[in-house]
């Protein structure tokens, strides 16, 4: 299991995966926006999405859970 977490305070612009999706390494999971910059969130490993903890419009803090992969 891999927990993908926010690396900074940011707004969630889009969630590009759903529970049950299979993803490969470097597949965009979530798109964040911080200080007018768009930051794609990419996993280091592939797997199946077992949980999506955010939705567009959310504000996340550094360390907040975004997605869980199994």
């Amino acid at each position: 299991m891999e927990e993908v977490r926010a690396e900074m305070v940011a707004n969630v612009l889009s969630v590009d995966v759903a529970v049950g999706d299979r993803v490969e390494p470097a597949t965009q999971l979530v798109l964040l926006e911080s200080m007018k910059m768009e930051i794609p969130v990419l996993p280091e490993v592939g797997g199946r999405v077992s949980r999506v903890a955010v939705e567009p419009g959310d504000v996340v803090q550094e360390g907040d859970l975004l997605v869980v992969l199994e």
Side-chain angles (χ1 to χ4, degrees):
M1 178 173 74
E2 175 170 335
E3 294 181 340
V4 180
R5 296 186 174 270
E7 295 182 4
M8 65 191 71
V9 176
N11 297 310
V12 178
L13 289 182
S14 68
V15 176
D16 303 308
V17 294
V19 172
D21 287 356
R22 286 209 163 279
V23 297
E24 298 297 322
T27 300
Q28 182 170 302
L29 303 175
V30 176
L31 184 62
L32 301 177
E33 182 270 328
S34 181
M35 297 177 13
K36 302 192 186 226
M37 292 177 39
E38 293 185 355
I39 301 108
V41 177
L42 314 172
E44 294 181 7
V45 299
R48 185 182 57 82
V49 177
S50 62
R51 180 174 176 208
V52 177
V54 294
E55 57 186 50
D58 287 352
V59 175
V60 294
Q61 303 297 314
E62 183 177 346
D64 283 359
L65 181 65
L66 302 174
V67 176
V68 177
L69 300 176
E70 292 192 8

